Amino acid sequence: MPNFQISVNEITQAAANTGVGANATSAQAAGIHDPDAIFDTGGSWDWSSGSPEINVQLDTNIVNQTAVNTAFDGDATSAQAAGINDPDALVDSGSYDSSADFNFQISTNLINQTAVNTAIDTDSLFPF
């Protein structure tokens, strides 16, 4: 019996902070937990009776984080934390009768983090 599993997980976070006479801060936390599993407990096909079983697993996990902080006469800070836990498994416990089962697993995990922080001390801008 063919088994197909497709998982698409995406987190997008964007923060833009501007502080005048104060602080501009950002804190972002993102996590993807994707414990995918395909279990095949059926018997394999015999080539004389048909094609072998096919197990396909495709995972795409994306975390995008962007922070832009601007502070006038203050502090501009960013803190970002991102994690992807993708314990994929393809398990075939069926019998083997001169024809192997096909097992495919493709996992794509991507974390993008961008932070731009600008702090301007207004006391030093004008000398008078």
Side-chain angles (χ1 to χ4, degrees), residues 5-9 32-39 55-62 84-92 103-110:
Q5 181 168 289
I6 299 173
S7 298
V8 178
N9 303 296
I32 293 176
H33 181 70
D34 188 10
D36 303 317
I38 291 180
F39 295 96
N55 300 297
V56 179
Q57 182 169 287
L58 301 175
D59 290 317
T60 301
N61 302 298
I62 300 173
I84 294 176
N85 183 11
D86 189 11
D88 304 318
L90 286 175
V91 178
D92 179 11
N103 299 293
F104 300 97
Q105 180 171 292
I106 298 174
S107 294
T108 302
N109 300 298
L110 178 63

Side-chain angles (χ1 to χ4, degrees), residues 13-17 24-30 65-69 76-82 113-115 117:
Q13 293 178 324
N17 302 303
T25 61
S26 289
Q28 295 174 323
Q65 291 178 325
T66 303
V68 178
N69 301 301
T77 61
S78 289
Q80 295 173 325
Q113 290 179 324
T114 303
N117 301 301

